[in-house]
Amino acid sequence: DSGVTQTPKHLITATGQRVTLRCSPRSGDLSVYWYQQSLDQGLQFLIQYYNGEERAKGNILERFSAQQFPDLHSELNLSSLELGDSALYFCASSVGRTGGSEQYFGPGTRLTVT
Amino acid sequence: AQKITQTQPGMFVQEKEAVTLDCTYDTSDPSYGLFWYKQPSSGEMIFLIYQGSYDQQNATEGRYSLNFQKARKSANLVISASQLGDSAMYFCAMREVNNAGNMLTFGGGTRLMVKP
């Protein structure tokens, strides 16, 4: 158990809908990262937050947004869902903002868009 | 451009034997970190081992060791005495550090299958 929690574990929804994925980092970790794992694209970095502020952005679509709250939990919002958004979404956390701190992954949320 | 390359999509190894999973990387940054993660069929990503670009010695963690050859830009994972529970996907990743963040770039993975 990495100490990172993600809810829900599974999510099935229809195209055009909007969903919210939730992540709680390990106790003491200030950085939260979101990754997407799909058959087409592999594992891709989406976005990083550190202590409530966006710090780095990867291949995140405009239909996707994220935020980190004062209690450090984070939410990833996916809207206008398409079939291609079906993937395993991971949250990871680390103590620091930049190098020198390992990232520990949560169990993931498996999103299926039908 | 792809920065992490894992050339072995799938590998078999006999139980109790050692196996090497290949990983090559590309970066112009002198400071970087290399990671290996294990993803069993249940889906979670399990951190195995880390090597910093300035580390003088190869990293080891139990049965896992990282064969770091900086000049060749390779960071191969060696698993000694393979066990059935080692059957999983293995991902090599590189940390790119910039002024903003700390993202990981992953390779395509290698599926390891341990035969009894």
Side-chain angles (χ1 to χ4, degrees), chain A residues 5-61:
Chain A
T5 61
Q6 288 186 250
T7 56
K9 192 165 185 177
H10 299 279
L11 199 48
I12 302 174
T13 189
T15 54
Q17 295 298 305
R18 172 189 168 95
V19 297
T20 298
L21 313 184
R22 183 188 168 103
C23 167
S24 292
R26 294 187 316 160
S27 177
D29 285 359
L30 299 179
S31 273
V32 169
Y33 311 79
W34 286 97
Y35 292 86
Q36 179 196 59
Q37 185 178 28
S38 65
L39 288 175
D40 293 343
Q41 303 291 332
L43 259 164
Q44 286 195 108
F45 167 74
L46 295 179
I47 197 163
Q48 176 196 0
Y49 277 82
Y50 175 79
N51 204 20
E53 293 187 5
E54 181 185 306
R55 279 301 177 181
K57 227 171 183 178
N59 296 323
I60 187 166
L61 299 172

Side-chain angles (χ1 to χ4, degrees), chain A residues 33 37 48 55 97 101 103, chain B residues 37 39 95 99-102:
Chain A
Y33 311 79
Q37 185 178 28
Q48 176 196 0
R55 279 301 177 181
R97 175 175 62 86
S101 50
Q103 295 182 26
Chain B
Y37 285 85
Q39 186 177 39
R95 172 169 56 213
N99 289 332
N102 182 24

Side-chain angles (χ1 to χ4, degrees), chain A residues 39-97:
Chain A
L39 288 175
D40 293 343
Q41 303 291 332
L43 259 164
Q44 286 195 108
F45 167 74
L46 295 179
I47 197 163
Q48 176 196 0
Y49 277 82
Y50 175 79
N51 204 20
E53 293 187 5
E54 181 185 306
R55 279 301 177 181
K57 227 171 183 178
N59 296 323
I60 187 166
L61 299 172
E62 286 192 11
R63 300 184 285 108
F64 296 0
S65 65
Q67 54 185 328
Q68 186 180 27
F69 294 87
D71 67 352
L72 300 177
H73 91 271
S74 177
E75 292 181 356
L76 179 67
N77 300 296
L78 315 176
S79 61
S80 302
L81 284 167
E82 302 175 0
L83 295 177
D85 297 329
S86 296
L88 188 53
Y89 291 85
F90 286 107
C91 168
S93 73
S94 69
V95 170
R97 175 175 62 86

Side-chain angles (χ1 to χ4, degrees), chain A residues 2 33 35 37 43-45 48 55-57 88 90 94 96-107 110, chain B residues 35 37 39 41-47 50 89 91 95-108:
Chain A
S2 67
Y33 311 79
Y35 292 86
Q37 185 178 28
L43 259 164
Q44 286 195 108
F45 167 74
Q48 176 196 0
R55 279 301 177 181
K57 227 171 183 178
L88 188 53
F90 286 107
S94 69
R97 175 175 62 86
T98 59
S101 50
E102 278 63 53
Q103 295 182 26
Y104 291 88
F105 282 69
R110 186 168 295 280
Chain B
F35 299 78
Y37 285 85
Q39 186 177 39
S41 57
S42 52
E44 72 266 34
M45 294 288 287
I46 302 168
F47 167 73
Y50 165 78
M89 283 290 290
F91 291 94
R95 172 169 56 213
E96 299 176 277
V97 178
N98 54 41
N99 289 332
N102 182 24
M103 67 286 288
L104 294 178
T105 301
F106 285 85

Side-chain angles (χ1 to χ4, degrees), chain B residues 25 32 34 58 66-76:
Chain B
Y25 60 92
Y32 52 90
L34 296 157
N58 287 343
L66 202 152
N67 184 2
F68 182 46
Q69 298 187 39
K70 198 170 182 177
R72 298 178 63 179
K73 293 189 175 178
S74 75
N76 298 338

